[in-house]
Structure formats: C-alpha cells, structure tokens
Amino acid sequence: GPTRKMPLTARAMDFFQLFVPDNVLKNMVVQTNMYAKKYQERFGSDDAWIDVTLTEMKAFLGYMISTSIHHCESVLSIWSSGFYSNKSIALIMTQSRFEKILKYFHIVAFRSSQTTHGLYKIQPFLDSLQNGFDSAFRPSQAQVLHEPLIDEDPVFIATCTERELRKRKKRKFSLWVRQCSSTGFICQIYVHLKEGSGADGLDALKNKPQLHSMVAKSLCQNASGKNYIIFTGPSITSLNLFEEFEKQEIYCCGLLSARKSDCTGLPPSMLNNPATPQSRGQYRIRMKGNMSLICWYNKGHFRFLTNAYSPVQQGVIIKRKSGEIPCPLAVEAFAAHLSYICKYDDKYSKYFISHKPNKTWQQVFWFAISIAINNAYILYKMSEAYHVTRYSRAQFGERLVKELLGLEDTSPSH
C-alpha cells in the first residue's frame, strides 16, 4: 500500500504530483523554451512565440489529459464547434497558443555527446517517474510481468480511416510493466525500442524468448532479496531465467508454451501430450530441486513452471457452469492473479491519453503520464480522502484536468 498518509483534503493534483512534481514540470518549461530558441536560431524567428510559463505548462498537460476522459479524435477538438468541443476549458488558453507549445514541447532539448540511447529525450522523466513509483508505494508479494493494453478505445478506433489506423499500428516500441497484482499499481515500466540494431529490435523481441528474459531482468532489477512472487506469461517463462531469479530471492510462477517459451532444460516427455485421454483436473508433475513443472488438463493441456508453490498443495478453479475443478495451488494462484490484471486492463486501459504523436519519445511520454494518473487514482482510492469525495476514475481525471487548468470549481463533477 501507500508509504505516506495523505490528508483528508488531498486533491487529485496532490496524488498526481507524487509522481510528476513541480520540479519536473519546471524542467519541461526550461527545456521547451531552450528548444524553441534553438529551433528559431536554425529556421528563423517566430514572432508569435513567447516563452512558456509553469502555469501554461500545467494547462498544456491538462488539455492533453482531458483526451483520456472524453476520447476526442484530436486534442484540438476542444476548441472546435463539434461534438468534442469543451467550452468550459477552451477559454483558459487559445488554440494557437496551445499549438505553439505543442510544436516546441521538449523534456530534453539538447543531445549530449555521450548519449547513444534512443530514449534520451525522455529518459530523465522516466527515471524521475520510477523514483516516484518506488517511494510512494510498497507492492504486495505477488506481481505480474506483462504488456498492458495501451491501445485506443474501440469506439474511437472505429471512427479512424484505414490510413490512420495503419499509421497508428506502426508503433516503434514495446511497453512492459511489473505490476502489483492485488492493487493494480504499476511498480516499474520498461520501454523496448525498435531500433536498427537487428538482434535487439522489437521484431526480434517478439520471436526470441532470450530477449524477453532481458526485459524480465530489467523489470526485476529492484526486486532482488524481497521474496517477491513474479507471475509471467509464456514468452518470459523459462527454466534458466527462473533459476537465475531464485538466486536473487525472487520466486516465479509462469505459464509455459512449447511454441512461445524457451524450453531449454525441460523434460520433453512433459511437453508432449499423453496418448491416453485425461479427465478434467488431472495433472502430472516433474520436479528438480525447488522447481516444479506441472501439466494440468482442463479441456486442453496447460503447463506451468514454478518454484513459488509446492506442487502437492491442492487448489481449485471455480467455473460457473462446471463447478469446481481440482488443480495444484500454483494453477489456482496463477489464474487468480492473471484475472485481476485482466480486470485492471478492462477498467484502466480506456483512460490512456488519446493524443498519438508521430515521434516515438512523445508517444512513450503520454503513455507514461497515463500510467502515472492511473497509479495516482489507485493511491487515492486507498487513502482517507477517497472516503470524503469518492470520485470514480473519470471524475478523478476531470478533477485533475480542472486543477491543472487552474479552475477553482471544487464541487464533485457528475
């Protein structure tokens, strides 16, 4: 849960600024102004440009975040006369001023000579965000490594032209997270870029389990020695990785696939389906030290690799139609924690910022801001302030937008 107690009067902005404090926003102001100056020195002066202020930067973020609640096709729809127009917030800043800030917006204006990382324009912000996640929240023992749903709302997708859709699908990065499976709080973000370096590119990442293990190690670099139980999907699950994690006192439970997983060191007899038909709930086990390979049957064969649960401990999967199906405890735990993450995706993925810029670093930035707001809401729900105001996720987002824009209305939104 949260590491600090927030007051009863805490606002949405107070929770958001646990992760994106004023010093980070001030840096955005400085870097944006520096980039604007550099740009104009190179391409000619822009008489319409005036240095951005901290108040304007907050309003700029507020406009962008508003697209996560109303899912408008473009952030510029706020100033239009169409369905997505929003007169109540459009008066805070003119459309032309917003477009100027959007044109020059930067987090790192200059590239240092030592920089080789493709995310250098956003890395300081990601590092600051990670520090905020680490200091504001203590996760539960059980955590999940996965790719969260970060695509647009299906209704919004349906309004796109085919050309726009193809353009949106060409995302040049993969976003992975380590997530507390009992609260949904995202503890760590890892961004893997699709770069021209071949073996480390995103296309290779989708095909080579060893690169997935690199992602897993990056996500768990701060988890060693804490006895966490990490749940993984087939692309990450592997004997070598789990054994390496066990040395760091990180324990694992993962779904195994003969096609997607790295099956090096596992007995082939357990990877092949038995010739004799099996009844639901039957399972076979092979062990090596603390590691168990479980083959469980339920309308198909499911294989699990774990060193976090004893294979002889019994569990049960409850199905609405077929009732209780016996299984090892590891299978029950995996199903429970994965179903929670599915519920999280269903609830929170629709609140990702709809603005999709062409530049990869900006795409990553808006995804990271969206995750920070979702985390802020989770902390708000666990605080005493929630019992006073009881905002839904949409209402919390609306409050945050109004507070960033400096609107004084403090009544609950409906």
Side-chain angles (χ1 to χ4, degrees):
T3 57
R4 67 189 79 176
K5 188 176 181 180
M6 299 293 280
L8 288 169
T9 54
R11 305 172 305 154
M13 186 77 165
D14 297 325
F15 289 96
F16 177 65
Q17 293 215 296
L18 292 173
F19 311 124
V20 188
D22 267 353
N23 65 320
V24 171
L25 297 174
K26 285 173 184 172
N27 180 63
M28 292 179 194
V29 170
V30 170
Q31 297 294 329
T32 298
N33 290 332
M34 284 170 63
Y35 180 78
K37 185 180 177 184
K38 182 180 79 167
Y39 185 93
Q40 289 172 52
E41 284 173 359
R42 187 173 178 185
F43 298 107
S45 63
D46 183 348
D47 296 333
W49 173 254
I50 305 165
D51 277 1
V52 69
T53 64
L54 179 62
T55 303
E56 285 182 314
M57 185 58 71
K58 286 182 179 179
F60 172 76
L61 288 179
Y63 283 126
M64 286 299 194
I65 292 166
S66 72
T67 67
S68 68
I69 305 153
H70 304 295
H71 302 291
C72 47
E73 190 172 340
S74 163
V75 66
L76 301 180
S77 302
I78 292 167
W79 292 274
S80 73
S81 55
F83 179 76
Y84 291 111
S85 66
N86 193 332
K87 301 299 180 194
S88 65
I89 65 173
L91 299 173
I92 303 298
M93 184 185 287
T94 64
Q95 180 178 340
S96 59
R97 179 59 176 164
F98 175 86
E99 289 183 273
K100 284 292 177 191
I101 298 172
L102 182 61
K103 177 181 178 180
Y104 295 123
F105 176 68
H106 263 71
I107 293 162
V108 175
F110 300 102
R111 181 172 189 160
S112 68
S113 54
Q114 294 86 21
T115 306
T116 56
H117 195 274
L119 285 174
Y120 77 93
K121 284 195 172 185
I122 194 181
Q123 197 59 53
F125 174 76
L126 293 178
D127 293 341
S128 168
L129 201 62
Q130 188 58 57
N131 289 335
F133 291 169
D134 290 341
S135 62
F137 185 81
R138 190 181 299 107
S140 65
Q141 184 184 29
Q143 294 164 41
V144 180
L145 305 186
H146 72 121
E147 288 181 276
L149 290 176
I150 54 174
D151 294 318
E152 294 93 339
D153 182 63
V155 177
F156 179 57
I157 283 280
T159 65
C160 290
T161 64
E162 216 172 299
R163 184 164 171 251
E164 284 175 322
L165 214 53
R166 277 201 305 272
K167 191 177 175 184
R168 287 168 192 275
K169 283 182 179 176
K170 291 179 182 175
R171 202 167 60 224
K172 295 182 180 178
F173 64 93
S174 177
L175 180 71
W176 295 76
V177 299
R178 175 165 58 86
Q179 189 169 13
C180 170
S181 63
S182 56
T183 60
F185 189 95
I186 288 177
C187 309
Q188 193 157 352
I189 300 172
Y190 178 79
V191 181
H192 189 93
L193 279 182
K194 179 182 180 180
E195 296 170 321
S197 54
D200 291 334
L202 182 59
D203 293 332
L205 181 73
K206 289 193 177 299
N207 300 321
K208 295 186 178 179
Q210 62 266 34
L211 289 176
H212 279 113
S213 74
M214 178 198 74
V215 171
K217 288 172 189 174
S218 298
L219 285 170
C220 294
Q221 60 189 358
N222 300 329
S224 59
K226 296 180 181 177
N227 287 307
Y228 288 154
I229 297 175
I230 304 293
F231 292 87
T232 63
S235 56
I236 291 178
T237 304
S238 81
L239 179 64
N240 291 336
L241 178 67
F242 284 13
E243 286 178 336
E244 194 173 325
F245 275 167
E246 189 174 359
K247 292 172 186 171
Q248 302 171 37
E249 294 180 46
I250 302 171
Y251 302 94
C252 305
C253 181
L255 185 63
L256 196 68
S257 162
R259 189 170 57 90
K260 293 182 180 178
S261 305
D262 178 6
C263 296
T264 308
L266 298 175
S269 60
M270 290 290 284
L271 302 175
N272 299 322
N273 296 337
T276 55
Q278 289 185 290
S279 57
R280 293 176 76 178
Q282 280 191 314
Y283 56 91
R284 297 176 294 147
I285 298 167
R286 289 284 294 273
M287 293 187 70
K288 176 190 175 186
N290 292 329
M291 200 72 64
S292 307
L293 175 55
I294 301 165
C295 180
W296 177 68
Y297 183 80
N298 178 26
K299 289 188 176 178
H301 292 276
F302 295 89
R303 293 170 179 84
F304 298 86
L305 190 65
T306 182
N307 56 1
Y309 297 92
S310 164
V312 296
Q313 282 185 285
Q314 287 295 310
V316 67
I317 299 284
I318 299 172
K319 295 284 184 183
R320 195 179 300 164
K321 291 182 180 178
S322 49
E324 295 185 351
I325 303 165
C327 65
L329 185 62
V331 177
E332 181 188 343
F334 185 90
H337 292 295
L338 215 64
S339 70
Y340 186 91
I341 296 306
C342 290
K343 285 177 188 172
Y344 172 91
D345 280 342
D346 290 344
K347 182 174 182 179
Y348 291 103
S349 64
K350 61 186 175 189
Y351 294 110
F352 276 78
I353 291 167
S354 296
H355 176 69
K356 296 293 181 286
N358 290 329
K359 291 177 181 174
T360 299
W361 74 264
Q362 289 184 6
Q363 291 174 23
V364 174
F365 175 76
W366 295 118
F367 283 136
I369 287 283
S370 301
I371 287 172
I373 298 168
N374 285 340
N375 276 356
Y377 180 68
I378 289 166
L379 290 188
Y380 160 71
K381 281 199 77 175
M382 298 173 78
S383 75
E384 292 179 0
Y386 177 70
H387 300 293
V388 177
T389 49
R390 289 194 174 272
Y391 292 135
S392 67
R393 173 62 184 83
Q395 289 172 328
F396 182 84
E398 286 174 3
R399 291 301 312 150
L400 178 60
V401 169
K402 287 183 177 181
E403 288 163 21
L404 282 165
L405 290 167
L407 296 170
E408 295 303 316
D409 174 30
T410 56
S411 61
S413 53
H414 296 287

Short mmCIF file of all heavy atoms in Angstrom, two decimals, residues 243-283:
data_model
loop_
_atom_site.label_atom_id
_atom_site.label_comp_id
_atom_site.label_asym_id
_atom_site.label_seq_id
_atom_site.Cartn_x
_atom_site.Cartn_y
_atom_site.Cartn_z
N GLU A 243 15.64 -19.98 -12.51
CA GLU A 243 16.75 -20.39 -11.63
C GLU A 243 17.64 -19.19 -11.28
O GLU A 243 18.11 -19.06 -10.15
CB GLU A 243 17.57 -21.49 -12.31
CG GLU A 243 16.86 -22.83 -12.32
CD GLU A 243 17.65 -23.92 -13.02
OE1 GLU A 243 18.50 -23.60 -13.88
OE2 GLU A 243 17.41 -25.10 -12.73
N GLU A 244 17.82 -18.29 -12.26
CA GLU A 244 18.63 -17.09 -12.01
C GLU A 244 17.92 -16.17 -11.00
O GLU A 244 18.55 -15.62 -10.11
CB GLU A 244 18.84 -16.34 -13.35
CG GLU A 244 19.92 -15.30 -13.28
CD GLU A 244 20.24 -14.71 -14.64
OE1 GLU A 244 20.18 -15.45 -15.65
OE2 GLU A 244 20.51 -13.50 -14.69
N PHE A 245 16.60 -16.04 -11.15
CA PHE A 245 15.83 -15.22 -10.22
C PHE A 245 15.84 -15.81 -8.80
O PHE A 245 15.88 -15.07 -7.82
CB PHE A 245 14.38 -15.10 -10.70
CG PHE A 245 14.16 -13.97 -11.69
CD1 PHE A 245 12.98 -13.88 -12.43
CD2 PHE A 245 15.12 -12.99 -11.89
CE1 PHE A 245 12.77 -12.85 -13.33
CE2 PHE A 245 14.93 -11.96 -12.80
CZ PHE A 245 13.75 -11.89 -13.51
N GLU A 246 15.82 -17.15 -8.72
CA GLU A 246 15.80 -17.79 -7.40
C GLU A 246 17.05 -17.45 -6.60
O GLU A 246 16.99 -17.28 -5.38
CB GLU A 246 15.66 -19.31 -7.55
CG GLU A 246 15.40 -20.01 -6.23
CD GLU A 246 15.11 -21.49 -6.40
OE1 GLU A 246 15.08 -21.98 -7.54
OE2 GLU A 246 14.91 -22.16 -5.37
N LYS A 247 18.19 -17.31 -7.28
CA LYS A 247 19.43 -16.93 -6.60
C LYS A 247 19.33 -15.52 -6.01
O LYS A 247 20.03 -15.17 -5.07
CB LYS A 247 20.60 -16.98 -7.58
CG LYS A 247 20.95 -18.40 -8.03
CD LYS A 247 21.98 -18.37 -9.15
CE LYS A 247 22.22 -19.78 -9.71
NZ LYS A 247 23.07 -19.75 -10.93
N GLN A 248 18.43 -14.70 -6.59
CA GLN A 248 18.23 -13.33 -6.10
C GLN A 248 17.04 -13.24 -5.13
O GLN A 248 16.59 -12.15 -4.79
CB GLN A 248 17.98 -12.39 -7.28
CG GLN A 248 19.08 -12.37 -8.31
CD GLN A 248 18.66 -11.58 -9.55
OE1 GLN A 248 17.97 -10.58 -9.47
NE2 GLN A 248 19.09 -12.04 -10.72
N GLU A 249 16.54 -14.42 -4.71
CA GLU A 249 15.37 -14.49 -3.82
C GLU A 249 14.12 -13.88 -4.45
O GLU A 249 13.34 -13.18 -3.81
CB GLU A 249 15.67 -13.83 -2.47
CG GLU A 249 16.75 -14.58 -1.67
CD GLU A 249 17.03 -13.91 -0.35
OE1 GLU A 249 16.08 -13.55 0.36
OE2 GLU A 249 18.22 -13.74 -0.03
N ILE A 250 13.98 -14.11 -5.76
CA ILE A 250 12.75 -13.76 -6.48
C ILE A 250 12.17 -15.09 -6.96
O ILE A 250 12.86 -15.88 -7.61
CB ILE A 250 13.04 -12.86 -7.70
CG1 ILE A 250 13.75 -11.57 -7.28
CG2 ILE A 250 11.76 -12.55 -8.47
CD1 ILE A 250 14.26 -10.73 -8.44
N TYR A 251 10.92 -15.34 -6.64
CA TYR A 251 10.30 -16.64 -6.98
C TYR A 251 9.27 -16.43 -8.07
O TYR A 251 8.72 -15.33 -8.23
CB TYR A 251 9.72 -17.28 -5.71
CG TYR A 251 10.80 -17.47 -4.68
CD1 TYR A 251 11.03 -16.51 -3.70
CD2 TYR A 251 11.66 -18.56 -4.75
CE1 TYR A 251 12.06 -16.65 -2.79
CE2 TYR A 251 12.70 -18.71 -3.84
CZ TYR A 251 12.90 -17.75 -2.85
OH TYR A 251 13.94 -17.89 -1.97
N CYS A 252 9.01 -17.46 -8.86
CA CYS A 252 8.25 -17.30 -10.09
C CYS A 252 7.17 -18.36 -10.26
O CYS A 252 7.28 -19.47 -9.71
CB CYS A 252 9.18 -17.36 -11.30
SG CYS A 252 10.53 -16.17 -11.24
N CYS A 253 6.16 -18.00 -11.03
CA CYS A 253 5.13 -18.94 -11.45
C CYS A 253 4.71 -18.51 -12.85
O CYS A 253 4.20 -17.39 -13.01
CB CYS A 253 3.95 -18.92 -10.49
SG CYS A 253 2.64 -20.08 -10.94
N GLY A 254 4.96 -19.36 -13.83
CA GLY A 254 4.70 -18.95 -15.20
C GLY A 254 4.00 -19.99 -16.04
O GLY A 254 4.19 -21.19 -15.85
N LEU A 255 3.18 -19.52 -16.96
CA LEU A 255 2.54 -20.39 -17.94
C LEU A 255 3.57 -20.73 -19.01
O LEU A 255 4.33 -19.86 -19.45
CB LEU A 255 1.33 -19.67 -18.56
CG LEU A 255 0.47 -20.47 -19.53
CD1 LEU A 255 -0.19 -21.65 -18.84
CD2 LEU A 255 -0.60 -19.56 -20.14
N LEU A 256 3.59 -22.00 -19.41
CA LEU A 256 4.61 -22.49 -20.34
C LEU A 256 3.95 -22.87 -21.67
O LEU A 256 2.86 -23.44 -21.69
CB LEU A 256 5.30 -23.71 -19.73
CG LEU A 256 6.63 -24.17 -20.31
CD1 LEU A 256 7.72 -23.15 -20.03
CD2 LEU A 256 7.01 -25.52 -19.71
N SER A 257 4.60 -22.55 -22.77
CA SER A 257 4.12 -22.92 -24.10
C SER A 257 5.28 -23.50 -24.89
O SER A 257 6.35 -22.89 -24.97
CB SER A 257 3.54 -21.69 -24.81
OG SER A 257 3.45 -21.91 -26.20
N ALA A 258 5.06 -24.66 -25.48
CA ALA A 258 6.12 -25.30 -26.27
C ALA A 258 6.50 -24.44 -27.46
O ALA A 258 7.64 -24.51 -27.96
CB ALA A 258 5.65 -26.67 -26.75
N ARG A 259 5.58 -23.61 -27.93
CA ARG A 259 5.84 -22.78 -29.11
C ARG A 259 6.47 -21.43 -28.75
O ARG A 259 7.38 -20.96 -29.43
CB ARG A 259 4.51 -22.54 -29.85
CG ARG A 259 4.65 -21.87 -31.20
CD ARG A 259 3.33 -21.92 -31.95
NE ARG A 259 2.26 -21.31 -31.19
CZ ARG A 259 1.94 -20.02 -31.25
NH1 ARG A 259 2.63 -19.20 -32.00
NH2 ARG A 259 0.93 -19.55 -30.54
N LYS A 260 6.00 -20.80 -27.65
CA LYS A 260 6.46 -19.45 -27.32
C LYS A 260 7.57 -19.39 -26.28
O LYS A 260 8.30 -18.41 -26.20
CB LYS A 260 5.28 -18.61 -26.81
CG LYS A 260 4.22 -18.32 -27.85
CD LYS A 260 3.13 -17.45 -27.23
CE LYS A 260 2.04 -17.15 -28.25
NZ LYS A 260 0.95 -16.34 -27.65
N SER A 261 7.67 -20.43 -25.44
CA SER A 261 8.62 -20.37 -24.31
C SER A 261 9.97 -20.98 -24.68
O SER A 261 10.08 -21.79 -25.59
CB SER A 261 8.04 -21.12 -23.10
OG SER A 261 6.77 -20.63 -22.75
N ASP A 262 10.98 -20.56 -23.92
CA ASP A 262 12.30 -21.19 -24.01
C ASP A 262 12.26 -22.44 -23.14
O ASP A 262 12.26 -22.36 -21.92
CB ASP A 262 13.36 -20.20 -23.51
CG ASP A 262 14.76 -20.80 -23.52
OD1 ASP A 262 14.91 -21.93 -24.03
OD2 ASP A 262 15.70 -20.14 -23.02
N CYS A 263 12.18 -23.62 -23.78
CA CYS A 263 12.00 -24.88 -23.06
C CYS A 263 13.32 -25.60 -22.79
O CYS A 263 13.33 -26.81 -22.47
CB CYS A 263 11.05 -25.80 -23.83
SG CYS A 263 9.39 -25.12 -23.98
N THR A 264 14.44 -24.89 -22.91
CA THR A 264 15.75 -25.49 -22.66
C THR A 264 15.82 -26.07 -21.25
O THR A 264 15.48 -25.39 -20.27
CB THR A 264 16.86 -24.42 -22.82
OG1 THR A 264 16.70 -23.78 -24.08
CG2 THR A 264 18.24 -25.05 -22.72
N GLY A 265 16.25 -27.35 -21.15
CA GLY A 265 16.44 -27.98 -19.84
C GLY A 265 15.20 -28.65 -19.29
O GLY A 265 15.25 -29.25 -18.21
N LEU A 266 14.07 -28.56 -19.99
CA LEU A 266 12.83 -29.19 -19.51
C LEU A 266 12.65 -30.56 -20.16
O LEU A 266 13.02 -30.77 -21.31
CB LEU A 266 11.63 -28.29 -19.85
CG LEU A 266 11.63 -26.91 -19.19
CD1 LEU A 266 10.46 -26.07 -19.69
CD2 LEU A 266 11.55 -27.04 -17.67
N PRO A 267 12.08 -31.55 -19.43
CA PRO A 267 11.92 -32.91 -19.97
C PRO A 267 10.91 -32.94 -21.13
O PRO A 267 9.77 -32.49 -20.96
CB PRO A 267 11.40 -33.72 -18.78
CG PRO A 267 10.84 -32.71 -17.83
CD PRO A 267 11.60 -31.45 -18.04
N PRO A 268 11.32 -33.45 -22.30
CA PRO A 268 10.41 -33.49 -23.47
C PRO A 268 9.12 -34.27 -23.18
O PRO A 268 8.08 -33.95 -23.74
CB PRO A 268 11.25 -34.20 -24.54
CG PRO A 268 12.67 -34.01 -24.11
CD PRO A 268 12.65 -33.98 -22.62
N SER A 269 9.21 -35.29 -22.30
CA SER A 269 8.02 -36.11 -22.01
C SER A 269 6.89 -35.26 -21.42
O SER A 269 5.70 -35.57 -21.59
CB SER A 269 8.38 -37.24 -21.03
OG SER A 269 8.85 -36.68 -19.80
N MET A 270 7.24 -34.17 -20.72
CA MET A 270 6.22 -33.31 -20.12
C MET A 270 5.68 -32.27 -21.10
O MET A 270 4.65 -31.64 -20.86
CB MET A 270 6.79 -32.59 -18.89
CG MET A 270 7.05 -33.50 -17.71
SD MET A 270 5.52 -34.10 -16.96
CE MET A 270 4.97 -32.66 -16.07
N LEU A 271 6.41 -32.09 -22.20
CA LEU A 271 5.99 -31.09 -23.19
C LEU A 271 5.09 -31.68 -24.25
O LEU A 271 4.46 -30.95 -25.03
CB LEU A 271 7.22 -30.44 -23.83
CG LEU A 271 8.19 -29.74 -22.86
CD1 LEU A 271 9.41 -29.24 -23.60
CD2 LEU A 271 7.49 -28.59 -22.13
N ASN A 272 5.06 -33.02 -24.32
CA ASN A 272 4.19 -33.71 -25.28
C ASN A 272 2.91 -34.17 -24.59
O ASN A 272 2.94 -34.61 -23.44
CB ASN A 272 4.92 -34.91 -25.89
CG ASN A 272 6.18 -34.49 -26.63
OD1 ASN A 272 6.19 -33.46 -27.29
ND2 ASN A 272 7.24 -35.27 -26.51
N ASN A 273 1.81 -34.08 -25.29
CA ASN A 273 0.54 -34.51 -24.71
C ASN A 273 0.47 -36.04 -24.65
O ASN A 273 0.86 -36.72 -25.60
CB ASN A 273 -0.64 -33.99 -25.55
CG ASN A 273 -0.72 -32.47 -25.52
OD1 ASN A 273 -0.21 -31.84 -24.60
ND2 ASN A 273 -1.35 -31.89 -26.53
N PRO A 274 -0.01 -36.62 -23.53
CA PRO A 274 -0.09 -38.08 -23.41
C PRO A 274 -1.11 -38.67 -24.40
O PRO A 274 -2.09 -38.01 -24.77
CB PRO A 274 -0.55 -38.30 -21.96
CG PRO A 274 -1.19 -37.02 -21.57
CD PRO A 274 -0.50 -35.94 -22.33
N ALA A 275 -0.85 -39.91 -24.82
CA ALA A 275 -1.73 -40.57 -25.80
C ALA A 275 -3.09 -40.91 -25.19
O ALA A 275 -4.12 -40.84 -25.86
CB ALA A 275 -1.05 -41.83 -26.32
N THR A 276 -3.10 -41.29 -23.91
CA THR A 276 -4.37 -41.68 -23.26
C THR A 276 -5.17 -40.43 -22.88
O THR A 276 -4.59 -39.46 -22.38
CB THR A 276 -4.10 -42.50 -21.98
OG1 THR A 276 -3.22 -41.74 -21.13
CG2 THR A 276 -3.44 -43.82 -22.33
N PRO A 277 -6.48 -40.44 -23.14
CA PRO A 277 -7.30 -39.27 -22.78
C PRO A 277 -7.35 -39.06 -21.27
O PRO A 277 -7.30 -40.02 -20.50
CB PRO A 277 -8.69 -39.64 -23.33
CG PRO A 277 -8.68 -41.12 -23.45
CD PRO A 277 -7.27 -41.52 -23.74
N GLN A 278 -7.40 -37.80 -20.87
CA GLN A 278 -7.41 -37.47 -19.45
C GLN A 278 -8.73 -36.79 -19.07
O GLN A 278 -9.39 -36.19 -19.92
CB GLN A 278 -6.25 -36.54 -19.11
CG GLN A 278 -4.89 -37.23 -19.16
CD GLN A 278 -3.78 -36.30 -18.70
OE1 GLN A 278 -3.44 -35.35 -19.38
NE2 GLN A 278 -3.23 -36.57 -17.52
N SER A 279 -9.08 -36.89 -17.81
CA SER A 279 -10.27 -36.21 -17.31
C SER A 279 -9.88 -34.85 -16.75
O SER A 279 -8.73 -34.64 -16.35
CB SER A 279 -10.97 -37.05 -16.25
OG SER A 279 -10.07 -37.32 -15.18
N ARG A 280 -10.83 -33.92 -16.69
CA ARG A 280 -10.55 -32.55 -16.25
C ARG A 280 -10.05 -32.55 -14.80
O ARG A 280 -10.58 -33.24 -13.95
CB ARG A 280 -11.80 -31.71 -16.35
CG ARG A 280 -12.24 -31.49 -17.79
CD ARG A 280 -13.55 -30.72 -17.85
NE ARG A 280 -13.33 -29.31 -17.58
CZ ARG A 280 -14.30 -28.41 -17.62
NH1 ARG A 280 -15.52 -28.78 -17.90
NH2 ARG A 280 -14.05 -27.15 -17.38
N GLY A 281 -9.00 -31.79 -14.57
CA GLY A 281 -8.46 -31.69 -13.22
C GLY A 281 -7.27 -32.60 -12.98
O GLY A 281 -6.57 -32.44 -11.98
N GLN A 282 -7.02 -33.55 -13.89
CA GLN A 282 -5.85 -34.44 -13.72
C GLN A 282 -4.57 -33.67 -14.03
O GLN A 282 -4.57 -32.76 -14.88
CB GLN A 282 -5.95 -35.66 -14.64
CG GLN A 282 -6.87 -36.76 -14.12
CD GLN A 282 -6.70 -38.03 -14.93
OE1 GLN A 282 -6.68 -37.99 -16.15
NE2 GLN A 282 -6.58 -39.16 -14.25
N TYR A 283 -3.48 -34.05 -13.37
CA TYR A 283 -2.22 -33.38 -13.67
C TYR A 283 -1.03 -34.30 -13.37
O TYR A 283 -1.13 -35.25 -12.60
CB TYR A 283 -2.07 -32.08 -12.87
CG TYR A 283 -2.20 -32.21 -11.37
CD1 TYR A 283 -1.07 -32.44 -10.57
CD2 TYR A 283 -3.43 -32.09 -10.74
CE1 TYR A 283 -1.17 -32.55 -9.19
CE2 TYR A 283 -3.55 -32.19 -9.36
CZ TYR A 283 -2.41 -32.42 -8.59
OH TYR A 283 -2.52 -32.52 -7.23
#
